[in-house]
Amino acid sequence: MYIRHLGMAPSVHPEAYVAPTAVLSGDVRIDRGTCIMHGAVVAAEGGAVVIGAHCVIMENAVLRGTPQNQLIMGDHVLAGPHSHLTGCGISDEVFIATGAMVFNGAHMGRASSVALGGAVHIGCIVPPLTRIPIGWVAVGDPARMYPPNEVEGIRGGLAEVGGGFLPFVFGVNDAANRHEQMQTALQRYTRAMARHHREDEIIPGPESG
């Protein structure tokens, strides 16, 4: 399904493949030889999603650009099934395994990888050739890696980036308590989502250009 969002339509190279059950929404640009597989969602939510050549976006992966952070992906990248990428930079030859996550403002260097269920958190800078182990969390610049039970190290790394996830992603007051942050973030987010998507239009196919 192709959707015109915020006046922008997906652009797909003639030599790319998009499965019939995938969704491309807004300012999404797909280069030659890339395959977007069944159930994948590629959504430019106010920021472009640019996918390079000869990439594979596997089943049920979700890729999203945001107004603050576009999603820019290089060539020869694999994003595994159920992976989740938002507003991040992905260099050439990166491997993102099943269920892995790369968050807003993060960047993965050339030929780096994140294994099954791993996470590259907000603002994290992963150097080239770095491997993030199964289930581990990378934070900081340069990336520091922690197993998921090392909560204090992970929290400390997140606090270095704009006060944590909600302040960094939604712009809420980092001095407010969690209750206030969640209310403010979700009120802003739901209003924006509803406003921006009311004019969405399903279109018959990609618009190249």
Side-chain angles (χ1 to χ4, degrees), residues 28-48:
V28 172
R29 307 168 213 168
I30 310 295
D31 207 343
R32 70 186 186 282
T34 284
C35 296
I36 312 294
M37 301 310 295
H38 290 280
V41 176
V42 184
E45 297 284 351

Side-chain angles (χ1 to χ4, degrees), residues 85-110:
L85 289 72
T86 299
C88 53
I90 308 294
S91 298
D92 296 346
E93 297 140 23
V94 169
F95 180 89
I96 301 164
T98 299
M101 297 160 282
V102 187
F103 287 102
N104 308 58
H107 181 82
M108 295 191 68
R110 186 168 191 156

Side-chain angles (χ1 to χ4, degrees), residues 91-135:
S91 298
D92 296 346
E93 297 140 23
V94 169
F95 180 89
I96 301 164
T98 299
M101 297 160 282
V102 187
F103 287 102
N104 308 58
H107 181 82
M108 295 191 68
R110 186 168 191 156
S112 61
S113 64
V114 52
L116 296 165
V120 179
H121 231 305
I122 54 170
C124 179
I125 307 301
V126 178
L129 301 173
T130 300
R131 296 184 177 183
I132 299 164
I134 293 172

Side-chain angles (χ1 to χ4, degrees), residues 5 10 53 101 128 165 170 191 196 201:
H5 173 63
M101 297 160 282
F165 186 87
F170 295 105
R191 284 197 298 267
H196 293 162
E201 176 189 3

Side-chain angles (χ1 to χ4, degrees), residues 2-174:
Y2 298 90
I3 298 172
R4 191 189 310 278
H5 173 63
L6 296 177
M8 301 292 289
S11 173
V12 179
H13 193 281
E15 295 176 14
Y17 169 74
V18 179
T21 56
V23 176
L24 272 57
S25 175
D27 186 12
V28 172
R29 307 168 213 168
I30 310 295
D31 207 343
R32 70 186 186 282
T34 284
C35 296
I36 312 294
M37 301 310 295
H38 290 280
V41 176
V42 184
E45 297 284 351
V49 178
V50 181
I51 300 176
H54 304 291
C55 297
V56 178
I57 310 303
M58 296 191 71
E59 291 82 359
N60 301 307
V62 177
L63 282 68
R64 179 179 289 113
T66 74
Q68 296 78 21
N69 299 104
Q70 297 182 337
L71 195 164
I72 307 295
M73 179 179 289
D75 301 335
H76 302 100
V77 174
L78 187 143
H82 299 279
S83 58
H84 185 100
L85 289 72
T86 299
C88 53
I90 308 294
S91 298
D92 296 346
E93 297 140 23
V94 169
F95 180 89
I96 301 164
T98 299
M101 297 160 282
V102 187
F103 287 102
N104 308 58
H107 181 82
M108 295 191 68
R110 186 168 191 156
S112 61
S113 64
V114 52
L116 296 165
V120 179
H121 231 305
I122 54 170
C124 179
I125 307 301
V126 178
L129 301 173
T130 300
R131 296 184 177 183
I132 299 164
I134 293 172
W136 282 44
V137 179
V139 295
D141 177 9
R144 305 188 300 274
M145 289 175 274
Y146 299 93
N149 61 335
E150 291 194 15
V151 176
E152 292 307 315
I154 295 169
R155 285 179 177 167
L158 296 182
E160 296 170 6
V161 185
F165 186 87
L166 290 173
F168 184 85
V169 174
F170 295 105
V172 300
N173 182 4
D174 61 355

